[in-house]
Amino acid sequence: MSADVVVVGAGPAGSAAAYHMAVAGLDVIVLERGELGRDKVCGDGLTPSAVTELALMGVDTTGWRRNKGLRVIGGGHLLHIPWPEQASLPSYGLARRRTELDRDLAERTVAAGARLLTGVTATAPLTSPSGRVIGVEVRPTPRAARPGVTAPAEITAPLVVDAGGVSARLATAVGRAKDVRRPLGVAVRAYFRSPRADDAWMESRLELWDGPAGKSELLPGYGWMWSVGDGLVNVGLGSVSSRAATTRIDYRAVFNRWMERAPASWGFTPDNRVGRLGSAALPMAFNRKPHYADGLMLLGDAGGMVSPFNGEGIAQALMSGRLAARAAACAAARSTAAGREKALGQYPAAMAERLGGYYTLGRVFVSLIEHPEVMRICTRYGLGRRRLMRLVSKLLSDGWERRGGDGIDHFIQLLTRMVPAA
Ligand SMILES: Cc1cc2nc3c(=O)[nH]c(=O)nc-3n(C[C@H](O)[C@H](O)[C@H](O)COP(=O)(O)OP(=O)(O)OC[C@H]3O[C@@H](n4cnc5c(N)ncnc54)[C@H](O)[C@@H]3O)c2cc1C
């Protein structure tokens, strides 16, 4: 079997790439080891940047859970920061469970003409004698949810996309290891049936108290809770370190302690929990590169694209898919191999232009906030300053204009240009 492009993984990155490539007329095969509706451990939060990417894919978000902005709690402060109305970004965010979001996205790619094979795992890259990636080895996923899946042994394509998430199996197989000097996050999350599902704000807790605030032990990490609709709240906590070092913290135990002491009115009890408590890593600040070389592109988590500022990775995964598709479509129109390579090289350049300087700042940010004493001072003295918090909110949520905008946007544009791209 062959195609113009084979995409491994039907998460946000793979689906966005396949959608935009199919719209551009490329013959695309997408391989997904799970089935549509598979779960992915995530906070399910979609900032205005993600909403914009969904709009560019023509996804119908009618009926999805909307939110107005961030509620930030910490250092004795409680702050509401609405999403600003920007030229390039809407003044609302969304939340959607990944079981539904990823199915919706995959269905968009199929509607656009991509061929989706589910229950099929890409086990290794196929390489030419010169080391170029020219396809993938494939087999039905062991213990697949749907029995009787058949798969070709190999799929060849002049362009292969690793959108397989944090495991990045193809990238790893060709020696593109993660850079341990870049930040890595760890987070856990669970769903609860809760009266808090009526809340229209995304709540972020910069301090997690093991009991009433200020009167008990401070737990490690930062927490979130927001409605995902259908009476459910996504609750989680996580932490980030500036290097990919493993912490000895048992985040599940911390989560359970936090939940045991949560106010009874929130309903975060074992009886109200829906599904399992899941945990996963967040690969940040371009911790796996190059994003294109020798026939293989890395998208989303496979390219370490989670924001070191806030742990958001869906918008970046969707964006990487769109920018990868642009380069792939340009390459397909070239008549020489050298021309095609030049065109494909636009993809890493576009990612670096969009997020490179911003992520360099993000690495500095993480190296500061990983020290609890620095974080405590920032929380106590920073949260009370409204203008500073508007800047912080735009910076942390990637909600700043790349061109034009107000004084805050200009300031962030200047900062990101002053540093080298990550
Ligand atoms: C606890 C937690 C909370 C988070 N909260 C948020 C949040 O609120 N908002 C946000 O924007 N981001 C959040 N993130 C980050 C976000 O989940 C990821 O950045 C995002 O899922 C990346 O999308 P992706 O398409 O690159 O990878 P994934 O979503 O991981 O998709 C990869 C796909 O590839 C498939 N696959 C993998 N290997 C193979 C293979 N060999 N063959 C075939 N298929 C394969 C997988 O089954 C999967 O479907 C959170 C992450 C964690 C861990």
Side-chain angles (χ1 to χ4, degrees), residues 78-168:
L78 185 156
L79 208 67
H80 286 93
I81 311 168
W83 299 120
E85 186 82 51
Q86 304 266 72
S88 69
L89 299 167
S91 59
Y92 68 93
L94 294 166
R96 185 138 174 102
R97 292 179 74 178
R98 292 293 298 272
T99 46
E100 295 165 340
L101 174 74
D102 291 23
R103 186 201 55 216
D104 295 341
L105 295 174
E107 285 174 356
R108 285 298 292 154
T109 72
V110 173
R115 292 185 271 167
L116 172 66
L117 308 182
T118 59
V120 168
T121 298
T123 51
L126 286 171
T127 49
S128 70
S130 68
R132 189 178 174 83
V133 178
I134 52 170
V136 287
E137 289 176 17
V138 170
R139 65 169 180 195
T141 302
R143 300 177 298 285
R146 183 169 50 95
V149 175
T150 55
E154 294 181 352
I155 301 176
T156 56
L159 178 62
V160 176
V161 172
D162 188 344
V166 67
S167 62

Side-chain angles (χ1 to χ4, degrees), residues 70-74 77-81 202 204 206 383 389:
L70 295 173
R71 178 189 299 121
V72 185
I73 300 174
H77 301 281
L78 185 156
L79 208 67
H80 286 93
I81 311 168
M202 300 180 95
S204 177
L206 305 183
L383 283 193
M389 286 314 292

